[in-house]
């Protein structure tokens, strides 16, 4: 049985993971970490990582970028594999995670924990390679009105994946209200919509002459992200130090 420390356990995603984990074979939530401790959980919740005395095999983090420093210090000090699912990390935090932290412990990092989104990324990379130079590329992401970061980490991950595929790299253009000029050929437009209770919607538009190709993924529940995180916990436990992603998990499943 794999014992999980759930960071951000009393947040919306944390509570979804808590519920699903109770019927998830091979692991259990052994402890939680959250600055808010007024929610009842079937495991002990610590408001300080230093107080955590439970045996932990892997950490799932769905908290806040502000908790990043303390969390990676805790994980490295105790040599515990870390699944970083928090969105809105700075480029500096992401770089530290991918280079420095992954040298010491196993790190699972994905901008989106959904298997479907990662399939979308694979599809748009193939499309970009075939359509390069002939189609303009625009990314539109939609999320609920409580989401803080914009554009989403997933939208940026999609753009980065496309850019890595292209022979001629593109610059990212965020919205267009401040640009009084025509669209450049080497641009990827990225647009954020916030409203209501939209869980997550990502569309990649390839606009060519007289034809449009659109690849879309819509999440209708947070459960898909929770399931992805729990599967990542099963995958990561016992791994050697290094950087792992949803691509590695999918490859192991297949």
């Amino acid at each position: 049985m794999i014992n999980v420390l759930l960071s951000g356990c009393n947040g919306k995603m944390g509570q979804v993971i808590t519920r699903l984990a109770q019927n998830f074979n091979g692991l259990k939530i052994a402890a939680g970490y959250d600055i808010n401790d007024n929610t009842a959980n079937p495991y002990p919740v610590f408001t300080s990582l230093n107080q955590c005395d439970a045996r932990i095999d892997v950490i799932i983090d769905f908290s806040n970028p502000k908790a990043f420093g303390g969390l990676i210090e805790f994980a490295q000090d105790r040599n515990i594999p870390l699944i970083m699912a928090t969105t809105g990390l700075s480029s500096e935090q992401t770089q530290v995670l991918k280079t420095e932290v992954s040298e010491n412990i196993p790190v699972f990092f994905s901008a989106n924990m959904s298997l479907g989104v990662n399939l979308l990324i694979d599809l748009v990379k193939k499309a970009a390679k075939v359509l390069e130079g002939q189609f303009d590329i625009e990314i539109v992401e939609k999320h609920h009105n409580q989401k803080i970061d914009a554009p989403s980490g997933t939208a940026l991950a999609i753009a980065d994946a496309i850019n890595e595929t292209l022979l001629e790299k593109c610059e990212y253009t965020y919205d267009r209200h401040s640009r009084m000029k025509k669209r450049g050929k080497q641009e990827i437009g990225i647009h954020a919509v916030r409203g209501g209770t939209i869980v997550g919607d990502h569309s990649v538009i390839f606009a060519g002459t007289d034809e449009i190709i659109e690849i879309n993924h819509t999440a209708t529940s947070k459960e898909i992200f929770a399931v992805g995180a729990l599967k990542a916990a099963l995958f990561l436990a016992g791994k050697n130090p290094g950087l792992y992603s949803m691509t590695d998990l999918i490859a192991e499943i297949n």
Side-chain angles (χ1 to χ4, degrees):
M1 181 68 68
I2 296 169
N3 290 328
V4 174
L5 171 65
L6 180 55
S7 173
C9 62
N10 289 334
K12 292 180 179 179
M13 275 305 308
Q15 287 299 289
V16 174
I17 292 173
T18 295
R19 175 169 53 81
L20 294 181
Q22 296 181 59
N23 298 308
F24 212 86
N25 293 330
L27 60 72
K28 68 174 183 179
I29 309 297
Y33 166 58
D34 204 300
I35 58 173
N36 167 24
D37 64 349
N38 59 8
T39 300
N41 289 295
Y43 48 78
V45 176
F46 301 95
T47 56
S48 169
L49 287 170
N50 293 329
Q51 298 171 351
C52 181
D53 56 1
R55 184 180 72 81
I56 303 298
D57 299 309
V58 63
I59 300 167
I60 297 176
D61 179 53
F62 265 106
S63 59
N64 187 290
K66 293 179 180 179
F68 179 83
L71 189 67
I72 63 171
E73 181 179 353
F74 174 84
Q76 291 183 106
D77 285 347
R78 302 200 184 188
N79 197 32
I80 303 174
L82 172 64
I83 297 166
M84 179 57 68
T86 292
T87 60
L89 294 180
S90 68
S91 57
E92 292 80 10
Q93 288 174 322
T94 301
Q95 187 67 15
V96 167
L97 192 70
K98 290 182 176 180
T99 56
E100 299 176 21
V101 181
S102 64
E103 289 183 357
N104 301 318
I105 60 173
V107 172
F108 189 102
F109 180 69
S110 178
N112 191 297
M113 299 303 293
S114 159
L115 294 174
V117 163
N118 285 275
L119 176 59
L120 175 142
I121 291 175
D122 186 57
L123 292 173
V124 298
K125 286 170 65 177
K126 293 177 180 177
K129 187 173 183 179
V130 172
L131 303 175
E132 181 172 2
Q134 306 170 63
F135 285 68
D136 297 324
I137 304 171
E138 298 282 310
I139 299 170
V140 180
E141 57 94 348
K142 305 172 187 176
H143 284 87
H144 54 86
N145 57 21
Q146 300 301 302
K147 187 171 177 63
I148 298 173
D149 56 310
S152 68
T154 300
L156 292 172
I158 293 170
D160 289 343
I162 291 172
N163 225 4
E164 289 169 5
T165 303
L166 300 175
L167 295 176
E168 294 189 31
K169 305 308 177 188
C170 290
E171 66 171 346
Y172 300 163
T173 300
Y174 304 97
D175 302 313
R176 299 192 183 276
H177 68 279
S178 63
R179 296 167 64 95
M180 299 298 291
K181 60 180 181 179
K182 293 190 295 184
R183 186 190 198 282
K185 289 294 293 181
Q186 298 306 122
E187 289 185 23
I188 295 177
I190 305 177
H191 314 275
V193 176
R194 297 289 177 266
T197 59
I198 302 170
V199 176
D201 187 291
H202 293 84
S203 297
V204 184
I205 303 165
F206 296 89
T209 303
D210 299 329
E211 60 181 334
I212 298 170
I213 300 169
E214 185 169 352
I215 302 175
N216 181 75
H217 177 272
T218 299
T220 58
S221 167
K222 292 181 182 294
E223 288 194 6
I224 62 172
F225 311 120
V227 170
L230 292 169
K231 287 184 177 180
L234 291 173
F235 165 83
L236 196 63
K239 287 287 192 296
N240 293 322
L243 183 65
Y244 301 89
S245 69
M246 191 63 72
T247 300
D248 301 303
L249 189 156
I250 293 171
E252 184 168 282
I253 292 175
N254 294 333

